[in-house]
Amino acid sequence: MAKIIPFKAVRPTRDKVSLVAARSYQTYTLEERESRMGYNPFSFLHIINPGYKYHKAISGKERYNLVRNRYLEFKEDGIFTQDEKPSYYVYKIVNREGHVFSGIVAAASSEDYEKDIIKKHEDTIEYRENVFKDYLKTVGFNAEPVLLTYPDNTIIANIISEVQKDRSEYEFTTTYRDTHYLWKLDDPELVNQISSAFEKIETIYIADGHHRSASSCLLSKDLKSENDTHTGNEPYNYFMSYLIPESDLRIHEFNRLVKDLNGLTKEAFLIKLDTMYRIENRGHSLYKPTRKHHFSMYLDGEFYSLFLRKSNYEFSDALEALDTQILYKTILRPILGILDVRNDTRIDYSHGKNDLITIKNKVDSGEFQVGFGLVPITVEEIKAIADSNLTMPPKSTFIEPKLRSGVTIYEF
């Protein structure tokens, strides 16, 4: 049922791909961006931050137009070239821990997104959807794939494995010590096999990139309404995605840090917690929870284990069984007074790739008063939320792989 098609990617030349590829813009500090752009004229950051050339911060429509100009300049200078035939792109990442992600970069259908064949598990913010839609409409390309996941499929896995026996088109290692590989797959027979295999998959899930998916869908509607000869086959009916099997996903937890105890003393706070949790003081020993509905807490120089008293909590649906929701409903909202976990400045998050020492250090420094550790959410929980048309609380998952921008570019 899923329509996943090949496309003619715009890509860096083999000799420059490692110089072009960039992390998501927001992940760089100002100092990192300045350094990378100052020493690397080929970085994709020059395209998405065109104000650097004029030593000026530029935003809105003016920035979008300049992004378009920088992109065209990269094409004119031969840094980017477009493939002649629609292709799938087998993409493998081996991260510094040795975990391997293997999947396919392809174009996914916006209509499938609308019809809930491609399912989501996070809320999106309308303002951000429209801002990115306007950006895409002006620049005319997308350079960062949405991460989609599908049930493990033998046919697709065998093709990916066979393709990877040949020399890759790209092989480069980042400063994060992740190694990236790309193979172009344009053999008609294999293309048809992959397309047919995806058509037999009933549901695909968004792992990361909910706003990009929503914005691409809005763009599709806009351009469709402006095109009197719309056929449904135009590139704007699709968005670039990286599709990997569910078994390849790595999901980390997002731990919580809170700046104060909402006016409570330590003792009063612990007494309130006792209603919903069995509490054990673990002292100075680092305690990391290993089971669902168990949490770690760091408070006043000591670790605690919190075991949910299940008889006092109602597991009414997939959302209510989610640990991030349980923490919100039993501690953050009723005891610590945090109603809006997305916007309240008293709460912050640390993803699980950072260890518990991060929480300990931030509490010990006085920046926060209490920290909570969680276990990672599973693929099955993500699917249960999406299948029930529910949405997770913000910062419920930190999902890998994280792709680089500028390696494959989708034009519409």
Side-chain angles (χ1 to χ4, degrees):
M1 293 175 65
K3 193 171 184 181
I4 306 297
I5 66 170
F7 69 101
K8 299 178 183 179
V10 174
R11 301 186 288 117
T13 55
R14 187 200 294 256
D15 63 314
K16 294 186 177 65
V17 62
S18 63
L19 298 171
V20 171
R23 302 197 313 267
S24 178
Y25 182 79
Q26 294 83 2
T27 64
Y28 292 97
T29 65
L30 177 61
E31 291 77 14
E32 284 180 311
R33 286 199 302 269
E34 293 287 321
S35 174
R36 289 174 184 266
M37 295 174 73
Y39 290 99
N40 179 5
F42 302 109
S43 174
F44 194 76
L45 293 173
H46 284 284
I47 293 177
I48 55 178
N49 187 21
Y52 177 84
K53 181 177 181 179
Y54 303 106
H55 307 288
K56 178 184 177 183
I58 301 172
S59 60
K61 186 72 172 179
E62 185 180 25
R63 173 177 170 259
Y64 303 165
N65 287 324
L66 289 177
V67 168
R68 176 71 179 169
N69 292 345
R70 293 294 87 74
Y71 172 66
L72 293 176
E73 288 170 7
F74 268 51
K75 291 183 73 175
E76 291 162 3
D77 292 342
I79 300 168
F80 287 141
T81 59
Q82 186 166 28
D83 289 324
E84 295 181 359
K85 296 168 62 177
S87 306
Y88 289 116
Y89 301 89
V90 173
Y91 202 109
K92 181 172 79 171
I93 303 171
V94 182
N95 72 8
R96 62 192 299 171
E97 291 90 17
H99 193 88
V100 179
F101 309 94
S102 281
I104 294 174
V105 177
S109 167
S110 293
E111 184 179 12
D112 284 353
Y113 176 87
E114 286 191 84
K115 290 182 175 179
D116 216 26
I117 294 171
I118 297 175
K119 292 191 174 185
K120 61 183 180 179
H121 64 266
E122 288 183 7
D123 266 333
T124 52
I125 300 170
E126 186 176 358
Y127 170 76
R128 285 182 60 190
E129 290 178 16
N130 281 293
V131 166
F132 193 59
K133 182 260 293 183
D134 292 341
Y135 168 83
L136 292 175
K137 194 171 185 178
T138 301
V139 303
F141 69 87
N142 194 351
E144 186 178 359
V146 172
L147 182 62
L148 302 179
T149 189
Y150 58 90
D152 287 37
N153 183 285
T154 302
I155 294 173
I156 299 172
N158 287 342
I159 293 173
I160 289 175
S161 178
E162 194 63 29
V163 168
Q164 290 180 356
K165 292 179 181 178
D166 294 331
R167 182 195 177 193
S168 59
E169 179 81 7
Y170 295 154
E171 178 180 350
F172 65 96
T173 300
T174 71
T175 53
Y176 270 28
R177 289 184 282 177
D178 298 337
T179 303
H180 295 242
Y181 305 82
L182 179 141
W183 294 260
K184 185 174 71 167
L185 196 168
D186 58 9
D187 177 83
E189 183 178 345
L190 293 180
V191 165
N192 287 334
Q193 288 181 31
I194 291 173
S195 298
S196 298
F198 276 117
E199 285 174 2
K200 293 179 174 65
I201 296 175
E202 292 188 4
T203 306
I204 289 175
Y205 296 86
I206 300 173
D208 193 18
H210 285 78
H211 280 93
R212 278 172 278 145
S213 305
S215 298
S216 295
C217 189
L218 289 177
L219 176 68
S220 175
K221 291 177 181 178
D222 265 19
L223 296 180
K224 176 181 177 180
S225 67
E226 297 169 6
N227 184 1
D228 294 334
T229 60
H230 173 83
T231 65
N233 296 319
E234 296 85 357
Y236 60 71
N237 294 292
Y238 298 86
F239 56 94
M240 184 170 63
S241 302
Y242 179 43
L243 298 105
I244 67 171
E246 292 171 4
S247 60
D248 270 14
L249 277 184
R250 291 198 75 194
I251 305 172
H252 302 275
E253 70 278 14
F254 260 111
N255 299 317
R256 272 72 171 136
L257 290 147
V258 182
K259 291 187 175 180
D260 59 69
L261 298 182
N262 198 26
L264 297 170
T265 63
K266 170 186 170 181
E267 291 73 20
F269 175 60
L270 290 172
I271 289 171
K272 285 184 176 292
L273 283 182
D274 196 82
T275 303
M276 294 300 298
Y277 292 92
R278 176 182 170 184
I279 306 169
E280 293 184 19
N281 188 323
R282 303 281 178 155
H284 299 295
S285 300
L286 292 175
Y287 174 72
K288 184 176 177 64
T290 57
R291 295 172 56 189
K292 292 293 177 187
H293 317 323
H294 291 187
F295 305 88
S296 67
M297 179 176 71
Y298 185 68
L299 172 68
D300 193 27
E302 295 179 309
F303 281 94
Y304 295 81
S305 58
L306 306 179
F307 303 142
L308 181 70
R309 299 185 190 277
K310 296 179 182 179
S311 59
N312 291 351
Y313 186 86
E314 183 179 356
F315 297 92
S316 56
D317 56 32
L319 175 60
E320 298 304 313
L322 211 62
D323 280 352
T324 47
Q325 180 74 353
I326 290 171
L327 192 70
Y328 171 69
K329 290 194 68 174
T330 60
I331 301 177
L332 298 180
R333 185 180 68 185
I335 300 177
L336 295 178
I338 295 174
L339 306 181
D340 183 354
V341 290
R342 188 185 298 277
N343 298 308
D344 196 315
T345 57
R346 294 171 54 226
I347 188 169
D348 201 0
Y349 304 89
S350 174
H351 61 70
K353 288 205 77 175
N354 299 326
D355 56 29
L356 288 174
I357 295 295
T358 302
I359 290 179
K360 181 181 185 301
N361 289 342
K362 289 191 173 187
V363 173
D364 287 345
S365 72
E367 182 183 1
F368 296 92
Q369 197 162 352
V370 62
F372 299 95
L374 295 81
V375 297
I377 285 168
T378 64
V379 171
E380 288 72 25
E381 287 178 300
I382 289 175
K383 292 168 65 175
I385 291 288
D387 291 342
S388 302
N389 293 315
L390 300 169
T391 55
M392 292 184 178
K395 300 292 187 183
S396 287
T397 57
F398 180 85
I399 295 180
E400 292 185 293
K402 299 295 183 187
L403 282 88
R404 297 275 160 154
S405 296
V407 179
T408 56
I409 297 173
Y410 183 77
E411 292 188 341
F412 35 79

